[in-house]
């Protein structure tokens, strides 16, 4: 594979990246279980093997990128031979001292080649340059590849929000402390 260049996204990239296949294939999900008991509700997530592989649609419309592109703190685009093959969006507006990865998408033909990992490492560097002590990722509970990616990059599960996305999927939140791993 040629060398991946990660650069700041520019408006013309929208036309390319919105046409990526944003869906994922998975045979695992994190299934939520809630148990009410004596005025207390216990919530757990179980990694569940599905009986067959399923295709999961992206929880946001790729077409909405055009409307929100300028609202992100940063858009990082991974390019091979100057052509975009993946992107990551970050916001640093939602919560104090947190850089928030909203989207991480690699076009289907380029997946499992380290592009998403490179984008995350670049996002970690972006947050550290701005002295933000934490980086958070939001992912659908159905997006097991993104959950695995978060865990691979030392993000810890930090919560959920039921019906978070427009399609009413559960959002899982994973956070990485950047202060204790300043060199790692």
């Amino acid at each position: 594979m040629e060398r991946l260049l990660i650069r700041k996204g520019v408006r013309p990239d929208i036309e390319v990246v919105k046409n990526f296949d944003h869906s994922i294939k998975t045979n695992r999900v994190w299934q939520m279980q809630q148990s009410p008991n004596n005025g207390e509700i216990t919530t757990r997530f179980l990694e569940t093997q599905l009986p067959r592989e399923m295709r999961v649609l992206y929880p946001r419309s790729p077409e909405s990128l055009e409307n929100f592109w300028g609202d992100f703190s940063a858009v990082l685009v991974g390019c091979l031979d100057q052509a975009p093959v993946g992107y990551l969006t970050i916001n640093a507006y939602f919560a104090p001292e947190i850089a928030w990865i909203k989207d991480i998408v690699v076009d289907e033909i380029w997946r499992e080649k380290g592009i998403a990992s490179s984008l995350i490492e670049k996002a970690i560097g972006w947050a550290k340059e701005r002295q933000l002590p934490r980086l958070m990722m939001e992912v659908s509970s159905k997006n097991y590849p993104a959950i695995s990616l978060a865990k691979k990059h030392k993000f810890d599960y930090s919560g959920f929000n039921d019906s978070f996305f427009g399609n009413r999927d559960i959002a899982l939140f994973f956070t990485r402390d950047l202060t204790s791993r300043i060199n790692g």
Side-chain angles (χ1 to χ4, degrees), residues 32-158:
M32 183 171 77
Q33 294 183 340
Q34 289 189 321
S35 308
N37 187 11
N38 296 329
E40 178 179 284
I41 297 175
T42 303
T43 303
R44 351 180 298 172
F45 286 92
L46 300 174
E47 185 179 308
T48 304
Q49 176 78 38
L50 301 173
R52 64 189 164 283
E53 185 176 76
M54 72 175 192
R55 184 168 289 277
V56 178
L57 297 178
Y58 200 67
R60 283 187 280 277
S61 164
E63 286 77 27
S64 70
L65 271 174
E66 195 152 7
N67 299 332
F68 299 109
W69 189 271
D71 295 341
F72 296 114
S73 300
V75 178
L76 304 176
V77 176
C79 297
L80 293 171
D81 264 345
Q82 301 179 16
V85 295
Y87 72 96
L88 179 146
T89 63
I90 305 173
N91 261 334
Y93 310 128
F94 293 133
E97 301 185 336
I98 296 177
W100 191 302
I101 296 174
K102 301 289 290 173
D103 301 287
I104 182 162
V105 177
V106 174
D107 200 13
E108 187 172 34
I109 63 169
W110 296 105
R111 292 181 189 161
E112 298 184 26
K113 296 180 179 0
I115 294 167
S117 287
S118 295
L119 286 165
I120 286 179
E121 289 303 317
K122 190 73 166 183
I124 289 167
W126 182 93
K128 285 180 179 180
E129 285 172 9
R130 285 151 185 81
Q131 300 179 343
L132 296 167
R134 289 184 303 285
L135 183 60
M136 180 177 280
M137 281 180 68
E138 69 183 45
V139 299
S140 165
S141 63
K142 296 175 186 172
N143 191 340
Y144 188 75
I147 293 167
S148 298
L149 185 66
K151 292 178 1 182
K152 173 183 173 183
H153 288 276
K154 299 179 176 86
F155 284 74
D156 298 314
Y157 169 76
S158 57

